[in-house]
Amino acid sequence: MAYEVNINKMIELLSDTLSLSEGELSADTQLIGNLPEFDSMAIVSILMQIEEDFGIEIPDDELSGEVFESVESLTEFVEIHQAATAI
């Protein structure tokens, strides 16, 4: 249940930040190399918004291309940091 909520929240966040309709994104949507809107400036904006919306801090040294492969991989990364923050 929480996973589905986070996926939906992530889709909403990405849609708003990238100026896409929510219908254009799903958990399986590939981000890097698939969406022209998903560039380095968008990544910075997305990370700032994730930190604000999900209440986490993301260390730069934990970011990699794998994190941004898909909506699902980005959501899983956020959930790992949420769990670590909750402890």
Side-chain angles (χ1 to χ4, degrees):
M1 176 85 163
Y3 176 75
E4 189 170 316
V5 169
N6 281 343
I7 280 283
N8 291 336
K9 191 173 178 179
M10 185 63 71
I11 288 172
E12 182 179 341
L13 182 151
L14 291 170
S15 297
D16 290 346
T17 306
L18 300 173
S19 300
L20 300 170
S21 70
E22 288 183 29
E24 292 180 70
L25 300 172
S26 69
D28 298 330
T29 301
Q30 297 296 304
L31 298 173
I32 291 181
N34 185 48
L35 300 172
E37 299 86 356
F38 197 80
D39 59 16
S40 59
M41 291 304 296
I43 289 173
V44 171
S45 297
I46 289 165
L47 290 173
M48 291 184 343
Q49 198 62 49
I50 285 172
E51 289 181 334
E52 185 177 319
D53 289 3
F54 289 91
I56 60 174
E57 193 170 316
I58 302 171
D60 291 340
D61 63 346
E62 293 187 25
L63 296 172
S64 69
E66 293 171 354
V67 170
F68 299 103
E69 270 186 35
S70 68
V71 174
E72 183 175 32
S73 65
L74 184 56
T75 303
E76 288 171 356
F77 177 80
V78 167
E79 289 182 337
I80 288 168
H81 282 80
Q82 282 181 314
T85 303
I87 295 174

